[in-house]
Amino acid sequence: MSDFMLPDIGEGIVECEVVEWRVAEGDTIEEDQPVVEVMTDKALVEITAPEAGRITRLYVAKGEIAKVHEPLFAYESEGEADAAAPRDERQAAAVGKPAPAGAEPSSAPVAAARDFILPDIGEGIVECEVVEWRVAEGDAIEEDQPLVDVMTDKAMVEITAPEAGTISRLHVPKGEIAKVHAPLFAYVP
């Protein structure tokens, strides 16, 4: 499951109001399908699905305020839904089996990793090249810390951490192309 983070939707915009959801939890979505309309202090903006899949959660209710770089909705991509079924069957088969000898039960809650979705980084920009990662998997990060430099066809852009945490995965290697509205990295807050 991936969280869709509200991208930068205009210079100086830090929040917007959810005007109308065009989907509900459980709905199937197609890539680029309109998902929600939001109102900034400047314009009505339509946010589209980053990829095909299924909506699993709407984080911000109609009429409420959504903040830039915070989760707007969660979805399961088509590939995730297919891969989840066998894992769920394995988990169900393991229920009731004793723990292996010497296994210690864990009482610490495990935080789920969040995907950072590459936001709109310029009008008409749909992809960019990862020029340099400034962090590695497992690194601790601070809010607003520079994490990666990307190159669009117009400029070099520095992407910063949305909040403090630990990098759990770099989805796009150095030298590869990252797509706008697709996961760039994952982190545990």
Side-chain angles (χ1 to χ4, degrees):
M1 185 172 71
S2 299
D3 282 340
F4 177 89
M5 303 297 186
L6 181 62
D8 288 321
I9 50 179
E11 192 171 330
I13 304 292
V14 296
E15 63 183 24
C16 58
E17 179 185 348
V18 172
V19 175
E20 189 69 46
W21 282 104
R22 296 193 177 176
V23 295
E25 291 179 3
D27 284 0
T28 300
I29 53 173
E30 296 299 321
E31 186 173 357
D32 297 325
Q33 171 185 336
V35 172
V36 62
E37 290 179 352
V38 296
M39 177 65 81
T40 71
D41 58 348
K42 299 177 181 176
L44 185 65
V45 178
E46 184 178 76
I47 306 236
T48 60
E51 59 185 316
R54 184 179 62 83
I55 298 290
T56 56
R57 182 165 179 204
L58 304 179
Y59 289 113
V60 183
K62 178 179 175 179
E64 297 291 319
I65 300 299
K67 300 212 178 286
V68 169
H69 300 304
E70 290 191 7
L72 186 59
F73 62 90
Y75 68 97
E76 207 171 59
S77 67
E78 282 181 343
E80 283 181 293
D82 295 341
R87 183 178 68 235
D88 292 343
E89 289 167 12
R90 285 195 306 273
Q91 287 172 338
V95 171
K97 291 188 180 174
E104 300 259 343
S106 173
S107 59
V110 178
R114 294 183 180 171
D115 278 335
F116 176 88
I117 306 299
L118 183 62
D120 289 320
I121 51 179
E123 192 172 329
I125 304 292
V126 297
E127 63 184 22
C128 57
E129 179 184 349
V130 173
V131 175
E132 189 69 45
W133 280 105
R134 298 185 181 190
V135 293
E137 291 177 4
D139 285 359
I141 55 171
E142 296 299 322
E143 184 173 359
D144 297 326
Q145 173 185 338
L147 301 181
V148 61
D149 294 322
V150 298
M151 177 66 81
T152 71
D153 59 349
K154 298 178 181 176
M156 180 80 82
V157 177
E158 180 180 83
I159 306 283
T160 60
E163 61 185 316
T166 304
I167 296 292
S168 59
R169 183 164 181 213
L170 303 179
H171 290 296
V172 183
K174 176 180 176 178
E176 297 292 318
I177 300 300
K179 303 266 187 214
V180 168
H181 301 304
L184 184 59
F185 62 89
Y187 67 100
V188 177

